[in-house]
Amino acid sequence: MAESVVLDPVDLHLLRLLQNDARTTYRDLAAQVGVAPSTCLDRVTRLRRSGVILGHRLKLDPAKLGRGLQALLSVQVRPHRRELVGPFVERIRALPESLTVFHLTGPDDYLVHVAVADMADLQRLVLDEFTARREVARVETRLIFQQWDCGPLLPPSPSAQTG
């Protein structure tokens, strides 16, 4: 398990601001946090190097790209062995419809978030890319009606840790 990084209130404020708008300039960040721009740059650089900030991503609207139907696919792989699951995960990650892949405990081995054009496209994906694979024992499909982003993700406050 990765070690957690000690963050002070300035770091937490920077992370909150960057999560809300990763394009904010260092000058604007510094002004909002109350530090010099050079200090702001040093802190953000340290947060990147320590692995707290993993990167910056562009978020796209799947519906505007012709993929208006989203689903969660629960997948059982049998036998669940490393030499089979490695290639399975790489194939699923390479599919243009795949948004996220989770490796799980419990009755299902994987949960795959996909975005497709329509029901026919979802059926094609499930039949041609999932159930056609020998190692896939079962796929269960759940349509997503709506989703909401949450966050920002910040460490628990000290009061939350004491219970």
Side-chain angles (χ1 to χ4, degrees):
M1 180 175 263
E3 291 183 34
S4 58
V5 176
V6 177
L7 303 171
D8 67 18
V10 173
D11 293 330
L12 293 173
H13 196 177
L14 285 168
L15 291 171
R16 189 173 290 110
L17 291 168
L18 287 169
Q19 282 191 85
N20 290 324
D21 185 359
R23 298 177 301 166
T24 305
T25 66
Y26 289 116
R27 183 180 359 191
D28 290 343
L29 284 171
Q32 291 181 61
V33 175
V35 298
S38 60
T39 301
C40 182
L41 174 61
D42 290 344
R43 283 179 174 262
V44 172
T45 300
R46 181 180 51 80
L47 291 167
R48 281 192 184 109
R49 284 191 183 135
S50 66
V52 173
I53 296 175
L54 298 176
H56 307 279
R57 293 192 174 127
L58 182 66
K59 185 173 180 180
L60 303 175
D61 183 343
K64 297 213 169 134
L65 298 172
R67 295 178 187 218
L69 181 65
Q70 293 185 50
L72 296 172
L73 307 179
S74 300
V75 183
Q76 271 187 355
V77 174
R78 296 290 179 259
H80 194 177
R81 293 195 319 250
R82 189 173 301 278
E83 64 270 11
L84 292 176
V85 299
F88 169 77
V89 169
E90 290 311 308
R91 174 64 188 140
I92 299 312
R93 288 184 67 210
L95 293 172
E97 298 88 355
S98 295
L99 299 175
T100 311
V101 180
F102 299 95
H103 191 190
L104 309 172
T105 63
D108 297 314
D109 300 311
Y110 295 93
L111 184 65
V112 184
H113 180 191
V114 299
V116 295
D118 52 29
M119 288 298 282
D121 197 25
L122 179 60
Q123 182 181 27
R124 177 208 49 82
L125 179 70
V126 169
L127 293 176
D128 295 348
E129 300 294 346
F130 285 85
T131 60
R133 297 185 64 90
R134 272 186 272 182
E135 69 272 25
V136 173
R138 182 177 68 79
V139 175
E140 195 171 297
T141 304
R142 290 174 178 84
L143 298 180
I144 298 173
F145 291 136
Q146 194 170 2
Q147 71 183 63
W148 296 267
D149 288 333
C150 302
L153 174 67
L154 293 175
S157 64
S159 62
Q161 293 175 346
T162 59

